[in-house]
Amino acid sequence: MKSTKLKSGNYLEDFLIGQVIHHPTPRTITAGERALYTSLYPSRHALYSSDEFARNCGLKESPIQDLIVFHVIFGKTVPEISLNAVANLGYAQGRFYQPVYCGDTINAISEVIGLKENSNRKTGIVWVKTSGYNQNGKLILEYIRWVMVRKKHPDSLISENLIPKITPSVDPKSLHLAGDWNFSNYDFDQAGEPYRLHDYKPGEIIDHIDGITIEETEHILATRLWQNTARVHFDNTVRGDSKRLIYGGHLISMAKALSFNGLANAQSIVGINNGSHTNPCFAGDTIRAWSEVEYIYDFQKNGIGAIKLRTFITKGEIEKAFDDNQKYDRNLLLDFSYWALIPT
Amino acid sequence: MKSTKLKSGNYLEDFLIGQVIHHPTPRTITAGERALYTSLYPSRHALYSSDEFARNCGLKESPIQDLIVFHVIFGKTVPEISLNAVANLGYAQGRFYQPVYCGDTINAISEVIGLKENSNRKTGIVWVKTSGYNQNGKLILEYIRWVMVRKKHPDSLISENLIPKITPSVDPKSLHLAGDWNFSNYDFDQAGEPYRLHDYKPGEIIDHIDGITIEETEHILATRLWQNTARVHFDNTVRGDSKRLIYGGHLISMAKALSFNGLANAQSIVGINNGSHTNPCFAGDTIRAWSEVEYIYDFQKNGIGAIKLRTFITKGEIEKAFDDNQKYDRNLLLDFSYWALIPT
Amino acid sequence: MKSTKLKSGNYLEDFLIGQVIHHPTPRTITAGERALYTSLYPSRHALYSSDEFARNCGLKESPIQDLIVFHVIFGKTVPEISLNAVANLGYAQGRFYQPVYCGDTINAISEVIGLKENSNRKTGIVWVKTSGYNQNGKLILEYIRWVMVRKKHPDSLISENLIPKITPSVDPKSLHLAGDWNFSNYDFDQAGEPYRLHDYKPGEIIDHIDGITIEETEHILATRLWQNTARVHFDNTVRGDSKRLIYGGHLISMAKALSFNGLANAQSIVGINNGSHTNPCFAGDTIRAWSEVEYIYDFQKNGIGAIKLRTFITKGEIEKAFDDNQKYDRNLLLDFSYWALIPT
């Protein structure tokens, strides 16, 4: 007797503008996830390594790495949003609202804010605004992403076509600075580099030097840790080439960790402007990262600034983002723009 | 000067009916083991993911995953019971007595309850009842397992032949329900599925859909985490085919985690009826799982029921447990029957 | 616009006798690192497995594994000391001063105590004394190591040539015994073996039996966990043979964990006499370990003794450290001498 209980994920027809989805499986984050993160990524930013350093920056202890918060919330959305995705098209308007600490429990909610059927009538695009909350119901992260998903039937009609207005970049004035951050007594020796906000200039390009050869087990352990269930990461029979696609967020974490070399004081991600996974990444690839400074902003408060960075990962030539036709180079894997807090 | 201190494990002749073995290496379980478990298995049952969800079910916080408790206790028994095992033949009569929490310390004791020499006089079977205790001496898990072990010498006599009476299935009335469990306010939205005890019917078959390609490092990290020292899992020179056998318990954890899809509310394992590792599993295998509902039982208390499930793992065709001769299919890796708590 | 912020590590010319280097990135150690350690190494020493056992030995709880402390402090020194190293030549005069517990934060400082240019003028040797401190400024570990590093230019002069006097072995009278250690009520059953200090004789050789086939991902996860950034461990394009060199400390941890079999009561490393990584180790190698008892010492206090052990790891023939020319056998990977606490 075959069960009828299985969920096979949502198709384009299943989404409605304004629909609110409460994602299951709340998650309590602990010291275990923190340590695993350090084991998975070459993470050396002092704020996420030392309770003492974090206290000296006004926090109660070293917070959960901001990208753990992102990955866990993103992972929660996969079963309802992107299980039938053809491609993860982009992120935008990401803002972190407050630090998450060991013992906090994360929930995620998504609202459908855009829908568009593609002209082939077989697929379409869904835009969602996803919000993460802690156990006290406080907002901790909000971002928009859009994915191309399959339709169940080419002939079916979708409820409404609406392309939402996406801001290409987060206005630094809108970045949320929880009241307790304070870089007045920031210890540059412990952090590892002497550079402050105003030591960086827009247009400056920083090669993060180190290369990392990615192994199969690493990205599987990581992706599973975030309870991300997309089959293409775990089952090598899905794609047809016996390869498991590496979760794009794995590369974002690699990029942020590698950026220590040159950006040791760009501690916390507070905004996500946009991000593209420009080519697929597989085990065996040796990746390198570089960043371009896009903007600097001084909050004029507690010695805190924000630096806007565009970080790239390549498995080919460093600092080559585009080919001769000004398209993404075929070896480029990530183009990610974010805001990070940095002492002034 | 060669040391004489080494232990080479027990042989059939070393066991005596009624013998009690106190296994060494007590183990304190922490948030680290919890997080690693989530990294190793696609675990999404809310009770083991969120402190808040667990509190809403009457517990003080999210307990240690029940299969961590099983694996740690099982691992402790390996050096004394199964270091010279030829095969791990079965489990039965498993009962979990109470939740284990972060900071609890686990000890294990085994009693020899059966012995039988095989007709070839080179091997025999030993049955043990293993009990796990916490730091307060409270029983947390009890189960029977039997293994085929080598004899030291074909000519030696064993003390006694006794085949114990094994109950094929745990009576649900004998399942232990610690006083604090309460599913009256169970949050089905957070758990991920709306199905209650009575929504399941004996004979119902649930395909858990997702496939997982197993990597070498994953099962090694897991098996080591449980301090299981059986050489065949770690040393690829043992078998002669350069392969490392995957610890059977690794597949039980995979099965339970995969069962989220269709059995999201079958939270805690409270009884183990029987289990067979029907064929060996190796790195590179892509596994899938399905479950058959065997029985449902209502405790008539605090909204708690128990569901008896028979879960299979195959590296071949889903839902094919047996071949044309009614023997286990050569691709079937696990046949495991257990009781889980589920809201009524 | 190319950034000039990158650090490319120190060369021989950059070191000065007496120079004190404060290494960045303080690190708070938690239950997460403890659990990962158990997952990475077949660790079964009871003192590091059970809070209850540790309390029974006079400690407040089970301390952080002593080799985690070593690896984290060692890892901190890599960017300033050995990023341009040709070879890690040796350790000596290591002393652990007190246990580290979950929540403690580790800092590291190195003092340059020796310099010598090699006759080829392309490389030289730098000796450093590295000290690790906890968040209260208390010394937790001190050791000397020396590495061969590159010069920037063959023609440049170095400040001073000074070869420091290195004691070949730590005097047991100088070993630091934190006041709270007490083995008077030591539980030998829980520890797993009955042997006390005086059961061991200098010259006794203990084969630890178990073999371990090392996987790529394991050593990468470990080395990253210690925030060790040496490229040769992570980037398979560095060496020219597509191999990643396994961090030598990974083998020290393997050796200590394997030594459980025969040395279950040699719990804590309190001194490091010397250590050589005699040949490189790569993924795929199956390693085995043995130890030779070098000396025993009775503190005449709280039932505590110290055992001096020389532990070897080979990927070839067990107990074969030297070849016919009395040089290290080509399969020998580690020759490591240390002091461990053991009940009398």
Side-chain angles (χ1 to χ4, degrees):
Chain A
M1 186 180 51
K2 201 85 176 178
S3 178
T4 57
K5 298 190 170 65
L6 301 189
K7 289 180 296 191
S8 54
N10 290 317
Y11 293 84
L12 189 66
E13 298 92 323
D14 298 319
F15 295 104
L16 294 171
I17 299 288
Q19 181 184 4
V20 173
I21 300 167
H22 290 256
H23 302 292
T25 318
R27 173 77 172 275
T28 306
I29 309 292
T30 72
E33 280 82 1
R34 282 179 63 90
L36 269 160
Y37 194 88
T38 306
S39 193
L40 291 163
Y41 308 107
S43 177
R44 287 188 287 154
H45 286 87
L47 188 75
Y48 295 94
S49 179
S50 163
D51 282 343
E52 310 299 316
F53 190 94
R55 281 182 201 120
N56 195 42
C57 294
L59 305 184
K60 72 169 187 174
E61 64 190 28
S62 180
I64 297 295
Q65 288 90 339
D66 35 39
L67 288 171
I68 290 185
V69 176
F70 176 76
H71 297 323
V72 165
I73 291 171
F74 183 98
K76 293 211 172 317
T77 69
V78 168
E80 283 79 39
I81 306 299
S82 51
L83 205 63
N84 297 307
V86 181
N88 196 14
L89 297 175
Y91 320 97
Q93 292 178 216
R95 268 185 213 89
F96 289 79
Y97 283 81
Q98 56 195 310
V100 174
Y101 295 105
C102 284
D104 283 355
T105 300
I106 297 177
N107 285 280
I109 295 174
S110 294
E111 183 186 348
V112 179
I113 59 165
L115 280 176
K116 183 186 156 295
E117 189 177 13
N118 287 334
S119 54
N120 62 18
R121 304 213 59 194
K122 290 180 184 165
T123 57
I125 300 174
V126 56
W127 284 260
V128 293
K129 186 178 78 175
T130 295
S131 308
Y133 295 90
N134 70 13
Q135 69 280 10
N136 303 316
K138 289 202 174 165
L139 184 63
I140 50 181
L141 169 64
E142 199 174 69
Y143 67 92
I144 287 170
R145 82 161 160 138
W146 54 105
V147 290
M148 192 187 299
V149 297
R150 290 191 185 80
K151 285 180 68 188
K152 254 180 256 172
H153 306 291
D155 295 341
S156 62
L157 297 174
I158 67 158
S159 58
E160 188 178 355
N161 276 293
L162 175 75
I163 300 178
K165 196 168 142 40
I166 304 286
T167 315
S169 180
V170 175
D171 184 338
K173 289 184 207 73
S174 78
L175 292 171
H176 196 87
L177 207 60
D180 33 13
W181 286 99
N182 195 324
F183 285 165
S184 308
N185 297 312
Y186 190 92
D187 188 329
F188 290 86
D189 286 340
Q190 290 207 324
E193 292 183 348
Y195 311 111
R196 297 159 181 269
L197 178 68
H198 294 284
D199 294 323
Y200 291 91
K201 305 292 170 217
E204 181 174 347
I205 289 171
I206 305 163
D207 176 356
H208 303 310
I209 296 178
D210 290 335
I212 291 177
T213 309
I214 299 187
E215 283 293 310
E216 201 78 86
T217 313
E218 290 176 77
H219 75 89
I220 292 171
L221 291 173
T223 309
R224 204 145 51 199
L225 187 60
W226 321 132
Q227 297 177 309
N228 180 328
T229 59
R231 286 164 202 152
V232 76
H233 307 315
F234 297 105
D235 178 350
N236 74 5
T237 67
V238 170
R239 287 173 51 91
D241 62 0
S242 296
K243 289 183 174 180
R244 277 162 279 181
L245 181 70
I246 292 179
Y247 161 53
H250 195 60
L251 295 180
I252 299 176
S253 279
M254 284 290 182
K256 180 64 171 72
L258 286 170
S259 79
F260 178 84
N261 204 344
L263 289 164
N265 299 318
Q267 298 278 359
S268 292
I269 298 182
V270 286
I272 294 174
N273 300 306
N274 51 72
S276 296
H277 302 291
T278 52
N279 282 290
C281 180
F282 301 106
D285 289 347
T286 298
I287 60 166
R288 286 179 170 74
W290 77 94
S291 298
E292 182 179 342
V293 178
E294 295 195 301
Y295 202 83
I296 61 172
Y297 178 80
D298 191 333
F299 285 100
Q300 306 284 355
K301 186 187 161 195
N302 295 347
I304 301 176
I307 185 167
K308 188 179 172 196
L309 296 161
R310 187 174 178 185
T311 293
F312 299 91
I313 283 191
T314 182
K315 59 176 179 174
E317 202 179 323
I318 195 83
E319 294 176 38
K320 182 172 183 191
F322 301 99
D323 63 18
D324 295 343
N325 303 316
Q326 292 309 306
K327 295 198 168 158
Y328 281 124
D329 185 77
R330 64 189 172 86
N331 287 318
L332 193 82
L333 306 182
L334 178 72
D335 176 2
F336 187 71
S337 170
Y338 66 100
W339 285 100
L341 296 185
I342 187 168
T344 58
Chain B
M1 185 178 54
K2 199 85 176 179
S3 178
T4 57
K5 296 190 171 64
L6 301 190
K7 291 180 295 191
S8 53
N10 290 317
Y11 293 85
L12 189 67
E13 299 93 322
D14 297 319
F15 294 104
L16 294 170
I17 298 289
Q19 181 184 1
V20 173
I21 300 167
H22 290 256
H23 302 292
T25 317
R27 173 77 173 274
T28 306
I29 309 292
T30 72
E33 281 82 1
R34 282 179 61 91
L36 269 161
Y37 194 87
T38 305
S39 192
L40 292 162
Y41 308 108
S43 178
R44 288 188 287 154
H45 286 87
L47 188 75
Y48 295 93
S49 180
S50 162
D51 282 343
E52 311 299 316
F53 189 94
R55 279 181 202 123
N56 195 41
C57 294
L59 305 183
K60 71 168 186 174
E61 63 190 28
S62 180
I64 297 294
Q65 287 90 339
D66 36 39
L67 288 170
I68 289 185
V69 176
F70 177 77
H71 296 323
V72 165
I73 291 170
F74 184 99
K76 295 213 170 316
T77 69
V78 168
E80 284 79 39
I81 306 299
S82 51
L83 206 61
N84 297 306
V86 181
N88 196 15
L89 298 176
Y91 320 95
Q93 291 178 218
R95 266 185 215 91
F96 288 79
Y97 283 82
Q98 56 195 308
V100 174
Y101 295 104
C102 284
D104 283 355
T105 300
I106 297 177
N107 286 279
I109 296 175
S110 294
E111 183 187 347
V112 179
I113 60 165
L115 280 176
K116 183 185 155 294
E117 190 178 12
N118 287 334
S119 55
N120 63 17
R121 302 212 60 193
K122 290 180 183 164
T123 58
I125 300 174
V126 56
W127 284 261
V128 294
K129 187 178 78 176
T130 295
S131 308
Y133 296 90
N134 70 13
Q135 69 279 11
N136 303 316
K138 288 203 175 166
L139 184 62
I140 51 181
L141 169 63
E142 198 175 69
Y143 67 91
I144 287 170
R145 82 162 162 139
W146 53 107
V147 290
M148 192 187 298
V149 297
R150 291 191 184 81
K151 285 180 67 188
K152 250 180 258 172
H153 305 291
D155 295 343
S156 61
L157 297 174
I158 67 157
S159 58
E160 189 178 354
N161 276 293
L162 174 75
I163 300 178
K165 195 168 144 38
I166 304 285
T167 315
S169 180
V170 175
D171 184 338
K173 289 186 206 69
S174 77
L175 292 171
H176 195 88
L177 207 60
D180 33 13
W181 286 99
N182 195 323
F183 285 165
S184 309
N185 299 312
Y186 191 93
D187 188 329
F188 289 87
D189 286 340
Q190 290 207 322
E193 292 183 349
Y195 311 111
R196 298 159 180 269
L197 178 68
H198 294 285
D199 294 323
Y200 292 91
K201 305 292 171 218
E204 181 174 347
I205 288 171
I206 305 163
D207 177 355
H208 303 309
I209 296 180
D210 290 336
I212 292 177
T213 308
I214 299 187
E215 282 294 309
E216 201 76 87
T217 313
E218 290 176 76
H219 76 88
I220 291 170
L221 291 173
T223 310
R224 204 144 54 198
L225 186 60
W226 323 131
Q227 296 177 309
N228 180 328
T229 60
R231 285 165 201 149
V232 77
H233 308 315
F234 298 104
D235 178 349
N236 74 6
T237 67
V238 169
R239 288 174 50 94
D241 61 0
S242 296
K243 289 183 173 179
R244 277 161 279 180
L245 181 70
I246 292 179
Y247 161 52
H250 195 61
L251 294 181
I252 299 176
S253 279
M254 284 290 182
K256 181 64 170 74
L258 286 171
S259 79
F260 177 84
N261 205 343
L263 289 164
N265 298 319
Q267 298 278 359
S268 293
I269 298 183
V270 286
I272 295 173
N273 299 305
N274 52 72
S276 295
H277 302 292
T278 52
N279 282 291
C281 181
F282 301 106
D285 289 347
T286 297
I287 61 168
R288 285 179 172 74
W290 77 95
S291 298
E292 183 179 341
V293 178
E294 295 196 301
Y295 203 84
I296 61 171
Y297 178 80
D298 191 333
F299 285 101
Q300 306 283 355
K301 187 188 160 193
N302 294 347
I304 302 176
I307 185 166
K308 189 179 172 196
L309 296 161
R310 188 174 177 185
T311 293
F312 299 90
I313 283 191
T314 183
K315 60 175 178 176
E317 202 178 323
I318 196 81
E319 293 176 40
K320 183 171 182 191
F322 302 99
D323 64 17
D324 296 343
N325 302 315
Q326 292 308 307
K327 295 197 167 161
Y328 279 126
D329 185 76
R330 66 189 171 82
N331 287 318
L332 193 83
L333 306 182
L334 178 72
D335 176 1
F336 187 71
S337 170
Y338 67 99
W339 286 100
L341 296 185
I342 187 168
T344 58
Chain C
M1 186 179 53
K2 199 86 177 178
S3 179
T4 57
K5 297 189 170 65
L6 300 189
K7 290 180 295 191
S8 53
N10 291 317
Y11 293 85
L12 189 66
E13 298 93 322
D14 297 319
F15 294 104
L16 294 171
I17 298 290
Q19 181 183 3
V20 173
I21 299 165
H22 291 258
H23 302 292
T25 319
R27 173 77 173 274
T28 305
I29 309 291
T30 72
E33 281 82 1
R34 284 179 60 91
L36 269 161
Y37 194 88
T38 305
S39 192
L40 292 162
Y41 308 108
S43 177
R44 287 188 288 154
H45 286 88
L47 188 75
Y48 294 94
S49 178
S50 163
D51 282 343
E52 311 298 316
F53 190 94
R55 281 181 201 122
N56 195 41
C57 294
L59 305 183
K60 72 169 186 173
E61 64 189 29
S62 180
I64 296 294
Q65 287 91 338
D66 36 39
L67 288 171
I68 289 185
V69 176
F70 176 77
H71 297 322
V72 165
I73 292 171
F74 183 98
K76 296 212 169 317
T77 70
V78 167
E80 284 79 39
I81 306 299
S82 50
L83 206 62
N84 297 306
V86 181
N88 195 15
L89 297 175
Y91 320 96
Q93 291 179 214
R95 268 185 213 90
F96 289 80
Y97 284 81
Q98 56 195 308
V100 174
Y101 295 104
C102 284
D104 284 355
T105 300
I106 297 178
N107 285 279
I109 296 174
S110 294
E111 183 187 347
V112 179
I113 60 165
L115 281 175
K116 183 186 155 294
E117 189 178 13
N118 286 334
S119 55
N120 64 17
R121 303 213 59 197
K122 290 181 185 164
T123 58
I125 300 173
V126 56
W127 284 260
V128 293
K129 186 178 79 176
T130 296
S131 307
Y133 295 89
N134 69 13
Q135 69 280 11
N136 302 317
K138 289 202 174 165
L139 184 63
I140 51 181
L141 169 64
E142 198 175 69
Y143 68 91
I144 287 170
R145 82 163 163 137
W146 53 106
V147 289
M148 190 186 299
V149 297
R150 291 190 185 83
K151 285 180 67 188
K152 252 179 261 174
H153 306 291
D155 295 342
S156 60
L157 297 174
I158 67 156
S159 58
E160 189 178 352
N161 276 292
L162 174 75
I163 301 179
K165 196 167 144 36
I166 304 286
T167 315
S169 180
V170 176
D171 184 340
K173 289 185 207 71
S174 77
L175 292 171
H176 195 88
L177 207 60
D180 34 12
W181 287 99
N182 195 324
F183 285 164
S184 308
N185 298 312
Y186 190 92
D187 187 329
F188 289 87
D189 285 342
Q190 290 208 322
E193 292 184 348
Y195 311 112
R196 296 159 181 270
L197 178 69
H198 294 285
D199 293 323
Y200 292 91
K201 305 294 171 217
E204 181 174 348
I205 287 171
I206 305 163
D207 177 355
H208 303 310
I209 297 179
D210 290 336
I212 291 176
T213 308
I214 300 186
E215 282 294 310
E216 202 77 86
T217 313
E218 291 177 75
H219 76 88
I220 291 171
L221 291 174
T223 309
R224 203 143 52 196
L225 187 60
W226 322 132
Q227 296 176 310
N228 180 328
T229 60
R231 286 164 201 152
V232 76
H233 307 316
F234 298 104
D235 178 350
N236 74 5
T237 67
V238 170
R239 287 173 51 91
D241 61 0
S242 296
K243 288 182 173 181
R244 276 160 280 180
L245 182 70
I246 292 179
Y247 161 53
H250 195 62
L251 294 180
I252 299 176
S253 279
M254 284 289 182
K256 181 64 170 73
L258 285 170
S259 79
F260 178 85
N261 204 343
L263 290 164
N265 298 318
Q267 298 277 0
S268 292
I269 298 182
V270 286
I272 294 173
N273 300 305
N274 51 73
S276 295
H277 302 292
T278 54
N279 282 291
C281 181
F282 301 105
D285 289 347
T286 298
I287 61 167
R288 287 180 170 72
W290 77 96
S291 298
E292 182 179 342
V293 178
E294 295 196 303
Y295 202 83
I296 62 172
Y297 179 80
D298 191 333
F299 285 101
Q300 307 284 354
K301 187 187 159 193
N302 293 348
I304 301 176
I307 185 167
K308 189 181 172 196
L309 296 161
R310 187 174 178 186
T311 292
F312 300 91
I313 283 192
T314 183
K315 59 176 179 175
E317 203 178 322
I318 195 83
E319 292 175 39
K320 184 172 182 191
F322 302 99
D323 64 17
D324 295 345
N325 302 316
Q326 293 309 305
K327 294 197 169 159
Y328 280 124
D329 184 76
R330 66 189 171 84
N331 287 318
L332 194 82
L333 306 182
L334 177 73
D335 176 1
F336 187 71
S337 171
Y338 67 99
W339 286 100
L341 295 186
I342 187 169
T344 59

